[in-house]
Amino acid sequence: MFEPTITKDNLPLSFGSFKPTGHVVIVFPEESAADTVAQSLQSQGVADGDIVRLSPEEVVAQFKPLLPDASGASGFGSEIQSMRQMYLLALEGHGLMIVRVRDDEMQNRVAEAARSGKATLAKKYGMLTIEELI
């Protein structure tokens, strides 16, 4: 079961922490790298609606209010640590790309695109785990 469609204004939360189950979150140091990866994924059949991008400023604006109030339970699956990591990277100018992955094959294509696109990190959010892809 997948989360509802993610938008910039509708980021999924679990216990007050960002948790896009069924998605890969990729962090990029430069917007141009994210552009290249998004184009690559779209050419491989990933629907435009399955890719959401947030600028560093949008990440800071979305995550900053969540950090002080995130529940202690969110640390169980590393959600709060991942959110803090992405927040700190956003403060340094890194943006996010959130990609819905519908199966393992798509997950592998997204991970390979992230690696070849020189992403800072890529994480697959499962129901109970967060898997480091690069």
Side-chain angles (χ1 to χ4, degrees), residues 18 25-26 32 83 88 90 101 120 129 134:
F18 175 62
V25 178
I26 308 169
S32 61
M83 191 169 70
L88 292 172
V101 292
T120 305
T129 62
I134 61 169

Side-chain angles (χ1 to χ4, degrees), residues 19-26 77-79 82 85-86 101 103-104 107-108 110-111 115 121-134:
K19 186 166 183 197
T21 303
H23 292 75
V24 171
V25 178
I26 308 169
S78 304
E79 291 91 352
S82 289
Q85 179 185 31
M86 290 179 217
V101 292
D103 54 39
D104 289 343
Q107 176 183 317
N108 293 337
V110 171
R115 275 190 290 279
L121 63 86
K123 298 181 180 208
K124 165 65 167 51
Y125 282 75
M127 191 63 110
L128 297 175
T129 62
I130 300 174
E131 179 183 351
E132 300 280 342
L133 299 178
I134 61 169

Side-chain angles (χ1 to χ4, degrees), residues 5-106:
T5 301
I6 292 177
T7 65
K8 290 181 181 192
D9 299 320
N10 181 31
L11 297 180
L13 303 178
S14 176
F15 297 103
S17 289
F18 175 62
K19 186 166 183 197
T21 303
H23 292 75
V24 171
V25 178
I26 308 169
V27 178
F28 290 97
E30 297 175 4
E31 191 173 331
S32 61
D35 291 341
T36 300
V37 170
Q39 291 169 0
S40 171
L41 292 173
Q42 289 166 337
S43 73
Q44 295 178 52
V46 175
D48 189 43
D50 285 344
I51 300 173
V52 174
R53 292 177 53 184
L54 284 88
S55 69
E57 297 79 17
E58 290 169 325
V59 174
V60 170
Q62 292 274 354
F63 287 12
K64 186 175 183 175
L66 297 174
L67 288 168
D69 298 324
S71 163
S74 66
F76 174 75
S78 304
E79 291 91 352
I80 189 72
Q81 291 90 347
S82 289
M83 191 169 70
R84 283 185 184 127
Q85 179 185 31
M86 290 179 217
Y87 174 77
L88 292 172
L89 287 167
L91 289 174
E92 296 175 4
H94 293 65
L96 296 184
M97 179 184 297
I98 306 163
V99 183
R100 179 183 280 188
V101 292
R102 299 178 188 275
D103 54 39
D104 289 343
E105 181 183 332
M106 183 181 286

